[in-house]
Amino acid sequence: MTTLREAVHEDAVAPRPRQKLLVVLAIKLICVVIAVGTGLVTLGMLTMLPALAQSGISHGEIAYLLLCAVEIVANVAIAWNFDLFIWSIAIRSEIFSRRQSERLIVLGYLHAFLVVFGLLHIEYAPPTSMFAWFQPADVRPELDLRLLMFSAMFFALAGVFEYGRMLKQDSSSIV
């Protein structure tokens, strides 16, 4: 007669090392593409600043470009933290640890920062019709509810992971 623990282990299908490697490499590739793309955009913006300053660009437009660079850096930080989170799960099988909870909290704060940044950072709306090209640009702050939900989700996941860590610690102390 098999116990519950044996039945669970028989039914569970553990990913093979090759599958783990493919998942990790795909995540690394995505993060590298994000980092290289944002680095090129930031480098392009920084190399354009002196030429734009000489051509009579206003200080407000330069400030807008710098704020775009801050947003890019925040997106790279999100990609980097998420990569570390997945890497720890896939390679080290580290799920319920304090570091993983902290990474989720950092991801929640970074997404919350982008929500607040979207409210403070002016967004230029593209023209929607042919006649809109002849009118001044529509400038408005943006409340991104999707980022707000991601932020709340990461905070909730951090709580779940912390609770899992405490349960794991309790079960280890009982045995």
mmCIF file with all atom_site columns, all heavy atoms in Angstrom, residues 65-91:
data_model
loop_
_atom_site.group_PDB
_atom_site.id
_atom_site.type_symbol
_atom_site.label_atom_id
_atom_site.label_alt_id
_atom_site.label_comp_id
_atom_site.label_asym_id
_atom_site.label_entity_id
_atom_site.label_seq_id
_atom_site.pdbx_PDB_ins_code
_atom_site.Cartn_x
_atom_site.Cartn_y
_atom_site.Cartn_z
_atom_site.occupancy
_atom_site.B_iso_or_equiv
_atom_site.pdbx_formal_charge
_atom_site.auth_seq_id
_atom_site.auth_comp_id
_atom_site.auth_asym_id
_atom_site.auth_atom_id
_atom_site.pdbx_PDB_model_num
ATOM 1   N N   . LEU A 1 65 ? 12.842 63.939 -22.103 1.00 0.00 ? 65 LEU A N   1
ATOM 2   C CA  . LEU A 1 65 ? 13.719 62.866 -22.535 1.00 0.00 ? 65 LEU A CA  1
ATOM 3   C C   . LEU A 1 65 ? 14.411 62.198 -21.344 1.00 0.00 ? 65 LEU A C   1
ATOM 4   O O   . LEU A 1 65 ? 14.561 60.975 -21.302 1.00 0.00 ? 65 LEU A O   1
ATOM 5   C CB  . LEU A 1 65 ? 14.760 63.383 -23.524 1.00 0.00 ? 65 LEU A CB  1
ATOM 6   C CG  . LEU A 1 65 ? 14.243 63.778 -24.900 1.00 0.00 ? 65 LEU A CG  1
ATOM 7   C CD1 . LEU A 1 65 ? 15.363 64.395 -25.718 1.00 0.00 ? 65 LEU A CD1 1
ATOM 8   C CD2 . LEU A 1 65 ? 13.661 62.575 -25.610 1.00 0.00 ? 65 LEU A CD2 1
ATOM 9   N N   . LEU A 1 66 ? 14.813 62.978 -20.361 1.00 0.00 ? 66 LEU A N   1
ATOM 10  C CA  . LEU A 1 66 ? 15.447 62.409 -19.182 1.00 0.00 ? 66 LEU A CA  1
ATOM 11  C C   . LEU A 1 66 ? 14.458 61.592 -18.358 1.00 0.00 ? 66 LEU A C   1
ATOM 12  O O   . LEU A 1 66 ? 14.814 60.553 -17.800 1.00 0.00 ? 66 LEU A O   1
ATOM 13  C CB  . LEU A 1 66 ? 16.085 63.514 -18.337 1.00 0.00 ? 66 LEU A CB  1
ATOM 14  C CG  . LEU A 1 66 ? 17.298 64.192 -18.975 1.00 0.00 ? 66 LEU A CG  1
ATOM 15  C CD1 . LEU A 1 66 ? 17.797 65.327 -18.107 1.00 0.00 ? 66 LEU A CD1 1
ATOM 16  C CD2 . LEU A 1 66 ? 18.398 63.178 -19.226 1.00 0.00 ? 66 LEU A CD2 1
ATOM 17  N N   . LEU A 1 67 ? 13.201 62.051 -18.292 1.00 0.00 ? 67 LEU A N   1
ATOM 18  C CA  . LEU A 1 67 ? 12.181 61.269 -17.593 1.00 0.00 ? 67 LEU A CA  1
ATOM 19  C C   . LEU A 1 67 ? 11.912 59.959 -18.316 1.00 0.00 ? 67 LEU A C   1
ATOM 20  O O   . LEU A 1 67 ? 11.661 58.933 -17.684 1.00 0.00 ? 67 LEU A O   1
ATOM 21  C CB  . LEU A 1 67 ? 10.894 62.089 -17.446 1.00 0.00 ? 67 LEU A CB  1
ATOM 22  C CG  . LEU A 1 67 ? 10.958 63.239 -16.447 1.00 0.00 ? 67 LEU A CG  1
ATOM 23  C CD1 . LEU A 1 67 ? 9.670  64.046 -16.480 1.00 0.00 ? 67 LEU A CD1 1
ATOM 24  C CD2 . LEU A 1 67 ? 11.238 62.722 -15.050 1.00 0.00 ? 67 LEU A CD2 1
ATOM 25  N N   . CYS A 1 68 ? 11.979 59.977 -19.630 1.00 0.00 ? 68 CYS A N   1
ATOM 26  C CA  . CYS A 1 68 ? 11.850 58.732 -20.393 1.00 0.00 ? 68 CYS A CA  1
ATOM 27  C C   . CYS A 1 68 ? 12.993 57.782 -20.055 1.00 0.00 ? 68 CYS A C   1
ATOM 28  O O   . CYS A 1 68 ? 12.787 56.569 -19.951 1.00 0.00 ? 68 CYS A O   1
ATOM 29  C CB  . CYS A 1 68 ? 11.830 59.014 -21.892 1.00 0.00 ? 68 CYS A CB  1
ATOM 30  S SG  . CYS A 1 68 ? 10.301 59.753 -22.470 1.00 0.00 ? 68 CYS A SG  1
ATOM 31  N N   . ALA A 1 69 ? 14.183 58.329 -19.850 1.00 0.00 ? 69 ALA A N   1
ATOM 32  C CA  . ALA A 1 69 ? 15.328 57.499 -19.476 1.00 0.00 ? 69 ALA A CA  1
ATOM 33  C C   . ALA A 1 69 ? 15.119 56.879 -18.096 1.00 0.00 ? 69 ALA A C   1
ATOM 34  O O   . ALA A 1 69 ? 15.467 55.712 -17.874 1.00 0.00 ? 69 ALA A O   1
ATOM 35  C CB  . ALA A 1 69 ? 16.612 58.321 -19.513 1.00 0.00 ? 69 ALA A CB  1
ATOM 36  N N   . VAL A 1 70 ? 14.531 57.627 -17.163 1.00 0.00 ? 70 VAL A N   1
ATOM 37  C CA  . VAL A 1 70 ? 14.233 57.080 -15.834 1.00 0.00 ? 70 VAL A CA  1
ATOM 38  C C   . VAL A 1 70 ? 13.244 55.924 -15.948 1.00 0.00 ? 70 VAL A C   1
ATOM 39  O O   . VAL A 1 70 ? 13.398 54.884 -15.290 1.00 0.00 ? 70 VAL A O   1
ATOM 40  C CB  . VAL A 1 70 ? 13.689 58.185 -14.895 1.00 0.00 ? 70 VAL A CB  1
ATOM 41  C CG1 . VAL A 1 70 ? 13.113 57.604 -13.620 1.00 0.00 ? 70 VAL A CG1 1
ATOM 42  C CG2 . VAL A 1 70 ? 14.779 59.189 -14.578 1.00 0.00 ? 70 VAL A CG2 1
ATOM 43  N N   . GLU A 1 71 ? 12.256 56.083 -16.789 1.00 0.00 ? 71 GLU A N   1
ATOM 44  C CA  . GLU A 1 71 ? 11.283 55.016 -16.999 1.00 0.00 ? 71 GLU A CA  1
ATOM 45  C C   . GLU A 1 71 ? 11.944 53.779 -17.611 1.00 0.00 ? 71 GLU A C   1
ATOM 46  O O   . GLU A 1 71 ? 11.633 52.640 -17.243 1.00 0.00 ? 71 GLU A O   1
ATOM 47  C CB  . GLU A 1 71 ? 10.162 55.522 -17.903 1.00 0.00 ? 71 GLU A CB  1
ATOM 48  C CG  . GLU A 1 71 ? 9.012  54.568 -18.033 1.00 0.00 ? 71 GLU A CG  1
ATOM 49  C CD  . GLU A 1 71 ? 7.861  55.156 -18.836 1.00 0.00 ? 71 GLU A CD  1
ATOM 50  O OE1 . GLU A 1 71 ? 8.037  56.212 -19.475 1.00 0.00 ? 71 GLU A OE1 1
ATOM 51  O OE2 . GLU A 1 71 ? 6.800  54.541 -18.818 1.00 0.00 ? 71 GLU A OE2 1
ATOM 52  N N   . ILE A 1 72 ? 12.878 53.989 -18.508 1.00 0.00 ? 72 ILE A N   1
ATOM 53  C CA  . ILE A 1 72 ? 13.596 52.875 -19.112 1.00 0.00 ? 72 ILE A CA  1
ATOM 54  C C   . ILE A 1 72 ? 14.420 52.143 -18.060 1.00 0.00 ? 72 ILE A C   1
ATOM 55  O O   . ILE A 1 72 ? 14.443 50.910 -18.019 1.00 0.00 ? 72 ILE A O   1
ATOM 56  C CB  . ILE A 1 72 ? 14.482 53.387 -20.271 1.00 0.00 ? 72 ILE A CB  1
ATOM 57  C CG1 . ILE A 1 72 ? 13.606 53.781 -21.456 1.00 0.00 ? 72 ILE A CG1 1
ATOM 58  C CG2 . ILE A 1 72 ? 15.510 52.355 -20.684 1.00 0.00 ? 72 ILE A CG2 1
ATOM 59  C CD1 . ILE A 1 72 ? 14.336 54.534 -22.534 1.00 0.00 ? 72 ILE A CD1 1
ATOM 60  N N   . VAL A 1 73 ? 15.088 52.879 -17.190 1.00 0.00 ? 73 VAL A N   1
ATOM 61  C CA  . VAL A 1 73 ? 15.897 52.260 -16.137 1.00 0.00 ? 73 VAL A CA  1
ATOM 62  C C   . VAL A 1 73 ? 14.998 51.441 -15.200 1.00 0.00 ? 73 VAL A C   1
ATOM 63  O O   . VAL A 1 73 ? 15.372 50.327 -14.789 1.00 0.00 ? 73 VAL A O   1
ATOM 64  C CB  . VAL A 1 73 ? 16.688 53.333 -15.360 1.00 0.00 ? 73 VAL A CB  1
ATOM 65  C CG1 . VAL A 1 73 ? 17.296 52.779 -14.091 1.00 0.00 ? 73 VAL A CG1 1
ATOM 66  C CG2 . VAL A 1 73 ? 17.766 53.920 -16.251 1.00 0.00 ? 73 VAL A CG2 1
ATOM 67  N N   . ALA A 1 74 ? 13.813 51.944 -14.883 1.00 0.00 ? 74 ALA A N   1
ATOM 68  C CA  . ALA A 1 74 ? 12.886 51.195 -14.029 1.00 0.00 ? 74 ALA A CA  1
ATOM 69  C C   . ALA A 1 74 ? 12.444 49.902 -14.717 1.00 0.00 ? 74 ALA A C   1
ATOM 70  O O   . ALA A 1 74 ? 12.346 48.848 -14.066 1.00 0.00 ? 74 ALA A O   1
ATOM 71  C CB  . ALA A 1 74 ? 11.673 52.054 -13.681 1.00 0.00 ? 74 ALA A CB  1
ATOM 72  N N   . ASN A 1 75 ? 12.202 49.955 -16.016 1.00 0.00 ? 75 ASN A N   1
ATOM 73  C CA  . ASN A 1 75 ? 11.813 48.743 -16.740 1.00 0.00 ? 75 ASN A CA  1
ATOM 74  C C   . ASN A 1 75 ? 12.947 47.723 -16.790 1.00 0.00 ? 75 ASN A C   1
ATOM 75  O O   . ASN A 1 75 ? 12.704 46.518 -16.701 1.00 0.00 ? 75 ASN A O   1
ATOM 76  C CB  . ASN A 1 75 ? 11.347 49.093 -18.153 1.00 0.00 ? 75 ASN A CB  1
ATOM 77  C CG  . ASN A 1 75 ? 9.962  49.683 -18.148 1.00 0.00 ? 75 ASN A CG  1
ATOM 78  O OD1 . ASN A 1 75 ? 9.104  49.280 -17.386 1.00 0.00 ? 75 ASN A OD1 1
ATOM 79  N ND2 . ASN A 1 75 ? 9.738  50.660 -19.011 1.00 0.00 ? 75 ASN A ND2 1
ATOM 80  N N   . VAL A 1 76 ? 14.178 48.191 -16.919 1.00 0.00 ? 76 VAL A N   1
ATOM 81  C CA  . VAL A 1 76 ? 15.325 47.278 -16.892 1.00 0.00 ? 76 VAL A CA  1
ATOM 82  C C   . VAL A 1 76 ? 15.460 46.648 -15.499 1.00 0.00 ? 76 VAL A C   1
ATOM 83  O O   . VAL A 1 76 ? 15.748 45.452 -15.377 1.00 0.00 ? 76 VAL A O   1
ATOM 84  C CB  . VAL A 1 76 ? 16.622 47.995 -17.312 1.00 0.00 ? 76 VAL A CB  1
ATOM 85  C CG1 . VAL A 1 76 ? 17.840 47.164 -17.022 1.00 0.00 ? 76 VAL A CG1 1
ATOM 86  C CG2 . VAL A 1 76 ? 16.561 48.356 -18.782 1.00 0.00 ? 76 VAL A CG2 1
ATOM 87  N N   . ALA A 1 77 ? 15.230 47.425 -14.445 1.00 0.00 ? 77 ALA A N   1
ATOM 88  C CA  . ALA A 1 77 ? 15.297 46.888 -13.082 1.00 0.00 ? 77 ALA A CA  1
ATOM 89  C C   . ALA A 1 77 ? 14.223 45.827 -12.865 1.00 0.00 ? 77 ALA A C   1
ATOM 90  O O   . ALA A 1 77 ? 14.469 44.809 -12.205 1.00 0.00 ? 77 ALA A O   1
ATOM 91  C CB  . ALA A 1 77 ? 15.151 48.018 -12.064 1.00 0.00 ? 77 ALA A CB  1
ATOM 92  N N   . ILE A 1 78 ? 13.038 46.039 -13.434 1.00 0.00 ? 78 ILE A N   1
ATOM 93  C CA  . ILE A 1 78 ? 11.974 45.030 -13.341 1.00 0.00 ? 78 ILE A CA  1
ATOM 94  C C   . ILE A 1 78 ? 12.397 43.757 -14.052 1.00 0.00 ? 78 ILE A C   1
ATOM 95  O O   . ILE A 1 78 ? 12.248 42.649 -13.515 1.00 0.00 ? 78 ILE A O   1
ATOM 96  C CB  . ILE A 1 78 ? 10.655 45.594 -13.910 1.00 0.00 ? 78 ILE A CB  1
ATOM 97  C CG1 . ILE A 1 78 ? 10.067 46.616 -12.960 1.00 0.00 ? 78 ILE A CG1 1
ATOM 98  C CG2 . ILE A 1 78 ? 9.652  44.479 -14.179 1.00 0.00 ? 78 ILE A CG2 1
ATOM 99  C CD1 . ILE A 1 78 ? 8.873  47.371 -13.514 1.00 0.00 ? 78 ILE A CD1 1
ATOM 100 N N   . ALA A 1 79 ? 12.934 43.887 -15.257 1.00 0.00 ? 79 ALA A N   1
ATOM 101 C CA  . ALA A 1 79 ? 13.362 42.706 -16.004 1.00 0.00 ? 79 ALA A CA  1
ATOM 102 C C   . ALA A 1 79 ? 14.477 41.972 -15.266 1.00 0.00 ? 79 ALA A C   1
ATOM 103 O O   . ALA A 1 79 ? 14.484 40.738 -15.206 1.00 0.00 ? 79 ALA A O   1
ATOM 104 C CB  . ALA A 1 79 ? 13.818 43.104 -17.409 1.00 0.00 ? 79 ALA A CB  1
ATOM 105 N N   . TRP A 1 80 ? 15.404 42.712 -14.684 1.00 0.00 ? 80 TRP A N   1
ATOM 106 C CA  . TRP A 1 80 ? 16.521 42.110 -13.973 1.00 0.00 ? 80 TRP A CA  1
ATOM 107 C C   . TRP A 1 80 ? 16.027 41.331 -12.740 1.00 0.00 ? 80 TRP A C   1
ATOM 108 O O   . TRP A 1 80 ? 16.437 40.193 -12.510 1.00 0.00 ? 80 TRP A O   1
ATOM 109 C CB  . TRP A 1 80 ? 17.508 43.193 -13.548 1.00 0.00 ? 80 TRP A CB  1
ATOM 110 C CG  . TRP A 1 80 ? 18.680 42.672 -12.798 1.00 0.00 ? 80 TRP A CG  1
ATOM 111 C CD1 . TRP A 1 80 ? 18.847 42.625 -11.443 1.00 0.00 ? 80 TRP A CD1 1
ATOM 112 C CD2 . TRP A 1 80 ? 19.861 42.099 -13.350 1.00 0.00 ? 80 TRP A CD2 1
ATOM 113 N NE1 . TRP A 1 80 ? 20.047 42.071 -11.129 1.00 0.00 ? 80 TRP A NE1 1
ATOM 114 C CE2 . TRP A 1 80 ? 20.694 41.737 -12.279 1.00 0.00 ? 80 TRP A CE2 1
ATOM 115 C CE3 . TRP A 1 80 ? 20.294 41.863 -14.647 1.00 0.00 ? 80 TRP A CE3 1
ATOM 116 C CZ2 . TRP A 1 80 ? 21.930 41.145 -12.465 1.00 0.00 ? 80 TRP A CZ2 1
ATOM 117 C CZ3 . TRP A 1 80 ? 21.530 41.279 -14.825 1.00 0.00 ? 80 TRP A CZ3 1
ATOM 118 C CH2 . TRP A 1 80 ? 22.334 40.933 -13.751 1.00 0.00 ? 80 TRP A CH2 1
ATOM 119 N N   . ASN A 1 81 ? 15.150 41.942 -11.933 1.00 0.00 ? 81 ASN A N   1
ATOM 120 C CA  . ASN A 1 81 ? 14.641 41.273 -10.741 1.00 0.00 ? 81 ASN A CA  1
ATOM 121 C C   . ASN A 1 81 ? 13.808 40.052 -11.089 1.00 0.00 ? 81 ASN A C   1
ATOM 122 O O   . ASN A 1 81 ? 13.892 39.022 -10.419 1.00 0.00 ? 81 ASN A O   1
ATOM 123 C CB  . ASN A 1 81 ? 13.814 42.237 -9.884  1.00 0.00 ? 81 ASN A CB  1
ATOM 124 C CG  . ASN A 1 81 ? 14.660 42.954 -8.881  1.00 0.00 ? 81 ASN A CG  1
ATOM 125 O OD1 . ASN A 1 81 ? 15.566 42.377 -8.316  1.00 0.00 ? 81 ASN A OD1 1
ATOM 126 N ND2 . ASN A 1 81 ? 14.369 44.212 -8.662  1.00 0.00 ? 81 ASN A ND2 1
ATOM 127 N N   . PHE A 1 82 ? 12.999 40.158 -12.120 1.00 0.00 ? 82 PHE A N   1
ATOM 128 C CA  . PHE A 1 82 ? 12.191 39.015 -12.527 1.00 0.00 ? 82 PHE A CA  1
ATOM 129 C C   . PHE A 1 82 ? 13.093 37.888 -13.023 1.00 0.00 ? 82 PHE A C   1
ATOM 130 O O   . PHE A 1 82 ? 12.828 36.708 -12.757 1.00 0.00 ? 82 PHE A O   1
ATOM 131 C CB  . PHE A 1 82 ? 11.181 39.425 -13.600 1.00 0.00 ? 82 PHE A CB  1
ATOM 132 C CG  . PHE A 1 82 ? 10.178 38.359 -13.910 1.00 0.00 ? 82 PHE A CG  1
ATOM 133 C CD1 . PHE A 1 82 ? 9.206  38.025 -12.983 1.00 0.00 ? 82 PHE A CD1 1
ATOM 134 C CD2 . PHE A 1 82 ? 10.217 37.678 -15.110 1.00 0.00 ? 82 PHE A CD2 1
ATOM 135 C CE1 . PHE A 1 82 ? 8.286  37.025 -13.249 1.00 0.00 ? 82 PHE A CE1 1
ATOM 136 C CE2 . PHE A 1 82 ? 9.308  36.682 -15.389 1.00 0.00 ? 82 PHE A CE2 1
ATOM 137 C CZ  . PHE A 1 82 ? 8.329  36.352 -14.456 1.00 0.00 ? 82 PHE A CZ  1
ATOM 138 N N   . ASP A 1 83 ? 14.156 38.238 -13.724 1.00 0.00 ? 83 ASP A N   1
ATOM 139 C CA  . ASP A 1 83 ? 15.117 37.237 -14.181 1.00 0.00 ? 83 ASP A CA  1
ATOM 140 C C   . ASP A 1 83 ? 15.758 36.528 -12.991 1.00 0.00 ? 83 ASP A C   1
ATOM 141 O O   . ASP A 1 83 ? 15.882 35.300 -12.985 1.00 0.00 ? 83 ASP A O   1
ATOM 142 C CB  . ASP A 1 83 ? 16.170 37.899 -15.062 1.00 0.00 ? 83 ASP A CB  1
ATOM 143 C CG  . ASP A 1 83 ? 17.209 36.924 -15.555 1.00 0.00 ? 83 ASP A CG  1
ATOM 144 O OD1 . ASP A 1 83 ? 16.821 35.858 -16.072 1.00 0.00 ? 83 ASP A OD1 1
ATOM 145 O OD2 . ASP A 1 83 ? 18.407 37.217 -15.409 1.00 0.00 ? 83 ASP A OD2 1
ATOM 146 N N   . LEU A 1 84 ? 16.169 37.268 -11.972 1.00 0.00 ? 84 LEU A N   1
ATOM 147 C CA  . LEU A 1 84 ? 16.755 36.652 -10.779 1.00 0.00 ? 84 LEU A CA  1
ATOM 148 C C   . LEU A 1 84 ? 15.748 35.746 -10.073 1.00 0.00 ? 84 LEU A C   1
ATOM 149 O O   . LEU A 1 84 ? 16.105 34.670 -9.574  1.00 0.00 ? 84 LEU A O   1
ATOM 150 C CB  . LEU A 1 84 ? 17.250 37.731 -9.811  1.00 0.00 ? 84 LEU A CB  1
ATOM 151 C CG  . LEU A 1 84 ? 18.487 38.501 -10.226 1.00 0.00 ? 84 LEU A CG  1
ATOM 152 C CD1 . LEU A 1 84 ? 18.786 39.603 -9.224  1.00 0.00 ? 84 LEU A CD1 1
ATOM 153 C CD2 . LEU A 1 84 ? 19.674 37.583 -10.368 1.00 0.00 ? 84 LEU A CD2 1
ATOM 154 N N   . PHE A 1 85 ? 14.499 36.174 -10.044 1.00 0.00 ? 85 PHE A N   1
ATOM 155 C CA  . PHE A 1 85 ? 13.439 35.389 -9.409  1.00 0.00 ? 85 PHE A CA  1
ATOM 156 C C   . PHE A 1 85 ? 13.270 34.039 -10.121 1.00 0.00 ? 85 PHE A C   1
ATOM 157 O O   . PHE A 1 85 ? 13.272 32.985 -9.491  1.00 0.00 ? 85 PHE A O   1
ATOM 158 C CB  . PHE A 1 85 ? 12.134 36.200 -9.432  1.00 0.00 ? 85 PHE A CB  1
ATOM 159 C CG  . PHE A 1 85 ? 10.962 35.475 -8.860  1.00 0.00 ? 85 PHE A CG  1
ATOM 160 C CD1 . PHE A 1 85 ? 10.810 35.345 -7.493  1.00 0.00 ? 85 PHE A CD1 1
ATOM 161 C CD2 . PHE A 1 85 ? 9.993  34.937 -9.692  1.00 0.00 ? 85 PHE A CD2 1
ATOM 162 C CE1 . PHE A 1 85 ? 9.726  34.674 -6.965  1.00 0.00 ? 85 PHE A CE1 1
ATOM 163 C CE2 . PHE A 1 85 ? 8.906  34.268 -9.174  1.00 0.00 ? 85 PHE A CE2 1
ATOM 164 C CZ  . PHE A 1 85 ? 8.768  34.131 -7.801  1.00 0.00 ? 85 PHE A CZ  1
ATOM 165 N N   . ILE A 1 86 ? 13.145 34.072 -11.436 1.00 0.00 ? 86 ILE A N   1
ATOM 166 C CA  . ILE A 1 86 ? 12.958 32.839 -12.211 1.00 0.00 ? 86 ILE A CA  1
ATOM 167 C C   . ILE A 1 86 ? 14.217 31.979 -12.172 1.00 0.00 ? 86 ILE A C   1
ATOM 168 O O   . ILE A 1 86 ? 14.144 30.754 -12.073 1.00 0.00 ? 86 ILE A O   1
ATOM 169 C CB  . ILE A 1 86 ? 12.561 33.172 -13.663 1.00 0.00 ? 86 ILE A CB  1
ATOM 170 C CG1 . ILE A 1 86 ? 11.231 33.903 -13.700 1.00 0.00 ? 86 ILE A CG1 1
ATOM 171 C CG2 . ILE A 1 86 ? 12.513 31.919 -14.520 1.00 0.00 ? 86 ILE A CG2 1
ATOM 172 C CD1 . ILE A 1 86 ? 10.060 33.107 -13.173 1.00 0.00 ? 86 ILE A CD1 1
ATOM 173 N N   . TRP A 1 87 ? 15.381 32.595 -12.240 1.00 0.00 ? 87 TRP A N   1
ATOM 174 C CA  . TRP A 1 87 ? 16.651 31.867 -12.204 1.00 0.00 ? 87 TRP A CA  1
ATOM 175 C C   . TRP A 1 87 ? 16.768 31.077 -10.900 1.00 0.00 ? 87 TRP A C   1
ATOM 176 O O   . TRP A 1 87 ? 17.180 29.914 -10.911 1.00 0.00 ? 87 TRP A O   1
ATOM 177 C CB  . TRP A 1 87 ? 17.798 32.861 -12.335 1.00 0.00 ? 87 TRP A CB  1
ATOM 178 C CG  . TRP A 1 87 ? 19.155 32.242 -12.301 1.00 0.00 ? 87 TRP A CG  1
ATOM 179 C CD1 . TRP A 1 87 ? 19.969 32.110 -11.207 1.00 0.00 ? 87 TRP A CD1 1
ATOM 180 C CD2 . TRP A 1 87 ? 19.870 31.678 -13.390 1.00 0.00 ? 87 TRP A CD2 1
ATOM 181 N NE1 . TRP A 1 87 ? 21.134 31.505 -11.560 1.00 0.00 ? 87 TRP A NE1 1
ATOM 182 C CE2 . TRP A 1 87 ? 21.104 31.225 -12.893 1.00 0.00 ? 87 TRP A CE2 1
ATOM 183 C CE3 . TRP A 1 87 ? 19.593 31.512 -14.738 1.00 0.00 ? 87 TRP A CE3 1
ATOM 184 C CZ2 . TRP A 1 87 ? 22.049 30.622 -13.693 1.00 0.00 ? 87 TRP A CZ2 1
ATOM 185 C CZ3 . TRP A 1 87 ? 20.547 30.908 -15.528 1.00 0.00 ? 87 TRP A CZ3 1
ATOM 186 C CH2 . TRP A 1 87 ? 21.754 30.474 -15.010 1.00 0.00 ? 87 TRP A CH2 1
ATOM 187 N N   . SER A 1 88 ? 16.401 31.695 -9.781  1.00 0.00 ? 88 SER A N   1
ATOM 188 C CA  . SER A 1 88 ? 16.492 31.013 -8.493  1.00 0.00 ? 88 SER A CA  1
ATOM 189 C C   . SER A 1 88 ? 15.534 29.833 -8.418  1.00 0.00 ? 88 SER A C   1
ATOM 190 O O   . SER A 1 88 ? 15.850 28.807 -7.814  1.00 0.00 ? 88 SER A O   1
ATOM 191 C CB  . SER A 1 88 ? 16.186 31.992 -7.354  1.00 0.00 ? 88 SER A CB  1
ATOM 192 O OG  . SER A 1 88 ? 17.165 32.983 -7.304  1.00 0.00 ? 88 SER A OG  1
ATOM 193 N N   . ILE A 1 89 ? 14.369 29.972 -9.019  1.00 0.00 ? 89 ILE A N   1
ATOM 194 C CA  . ILE A 1 89 ? 13.414 28.867 -9.010  1.00 0.00 ? 89 ILE A CA  1
ATOM 195 C C   . ILE A 1 89 ? 13.887 27.749 -9.929  1.00 0.00 ? 89 ILE A C   1
ATOM 196 O O   . ILE A 1 89 ? 13.878 26.570 -9.560  1.00 0.00 ? 89 ILE A O   1
ATOM 197 C CB  . ILE A 1 89 ? 12.012 29.349 -9.420  1.00 0.00 ? 89 ILE A CB  1
ATOM 198 C CG1 . ILE A 1 89 ? 11.410 30.214 -8.321  1.00 0.00 ? 89 ILE A CG1 1
ATOM 199 C CG2 . ILE A 1 89 ? 11.092 28.165 -9.702  1.00 0.00 ? 89 ILE A CG2 1
ATOM 200 C CD1 . ILE A 1 89 ? 10.088 30.847 -8.695  1.00 0.00 ? 89 ILE A CD1 1
ATOM 201 N N   . ALA A 1 90 ? 14.312 28.082 -11.120 1.00 0.00 ? 90 ALA A N   1
ATOM 202 C CA  . ALA A 1 90 ? 14.642 27.059 -12.118 1.00 0.00 ? 90 ALA A CA  1
ATOM 203 C C   . ALA A 1 90 ? 15.960 26.347 -11.825 1.00 0.00 ? 90 ALA A C   1
ATOM 204 O O   . ALA A 1 90 ? 16.050 25.138 -11.993 1.00 0.00 ? 90 ALA A O   1
ATOM 205 C CB  . ALA A 1 90 ? 14.695 27.686 -13.502 1.00 0.00 ? 90 ALA A CB  1
ATOM 206 N N   . ILE A 1 91 ? 16.967 27.064 -11.403 1.00 0.00 ? 91 ILE A N   1
ATOM 207 C CA  . ILE A 1 91 ? 18.281 26.465 -11.237 1.00 0.00 ? 91 ILE A CA  1
ATOM 208 C C   . ILE A 1 91 ? 18.496 25.954 -9.813  1.00 0.00 ? 91 ILE A C   1
ATOM 209 O O   . ILE A 1 91 ? 18.899 24.821 -9.599  1.00 0.00 ? 91 ILE A O   1
ATOM 210 C CB  . ILE A 1 91 ? 19.391 27.466 -11.617 1.00 0.00 ? 91 ILE A CB  1
ATOM 211 C CG1 . ILE A 1 91 ? 19.271 27.828 -13.092 1.00 0.00 ? 91 ILE A CG1 1
ATOM 212 C CG2 . ILE A 1 91 ? 20.768 26.913 -11.299 1.00 0.00 ? 91 ILE A CG2 1
ATOM 213 C CD1 . ILE A 1 91 ? 19.420 26.665 -14.042 1.00 0.00 ? 91 ILE A CD1 1
#
